[in-house]
Amino acid sequence: RAKITTAAGLPRGSTVRLLQQIAGGFTPYPDRQTLGGLTMLNCAGTAWNGVTMTPEKTSQMLQRLSEAMDTAAFQMQLASTKEALRESSFVGQKAKADLLVRLAEVL
């Protein structure tokens, strides 16, 4: 969260909360929640209406993001996630095919 306030150029003392969606709203993630496996981060805290993302700040933020994505750990996690999605899709397709075969047998 501290990196977010720095990268976004929020004023000193600003707050950022990472939120998880629950039925009827949102609740903050625990401070020790690992975020690497999440596909979406909802944020709350200091309003962004006064934050200026200059070209320099934007470039710096994108550079940090690019550097993080170039790490071996990130690439391994990305490959693992892609494989899990591929396997999940295959399992779903096989289940649909099996269901169609069973329906054809009954009809």
Side-chain angles (χ1 to χ4, degrees):
R1 293 182 300 172
K3 288 181 182 180
I4 293 171
T5 58
T6 301
L10 295 171
R12 180 167 286 196
S14 298
T15 60
V16 172
R17 291 181 293 164
L18 301 175
L19 305 175
Q20 57 186 323
Q21 191 166 10
I22 59 170
F26 294 88
T27 187
Y29 280 106
D31 285 341
R32 297 204 182 268
Q33 170 72 36
T34 57
L35 305 175
L38 302 175
T39 58
M40 179 183 293
L41 292 175
N42 297 298
C43 296
T46 302
W48 281 69
N49 58 359
V51 177
T52 304
M53 285 297 284
T54 64
E56 294 80 19
K57 285 183 185 178
T58 303
S59 178
Q60 184 182 35
M61 183 178 71
L62 291 173
Q63 179 65 33
R64 287 181 183 167
L65 180 60
S66 175
E67 289 169 0
M69 292 173 67
D70 282 342
T71 63
F74 181 88
Q75 292 300 320
M76 286 175 42
Q77 182 65 38
L78 180 62
S80 174
T81 300
K82 285 181 179 179
E83 180 63 19
L85 287 172
R86 188 190 66 74
E87 289 176 9
S88 173
S89 176
F90 175 75
V91 168
Q93 290 172 1
K94 180 161 179 13
K96 288 177 189 176
D98 290 346
L99 177 60
L100 289 174
V101 168
R102 280 188 242 132
L103 283 172
E105 290 171 351
V106 172
L107 298 175

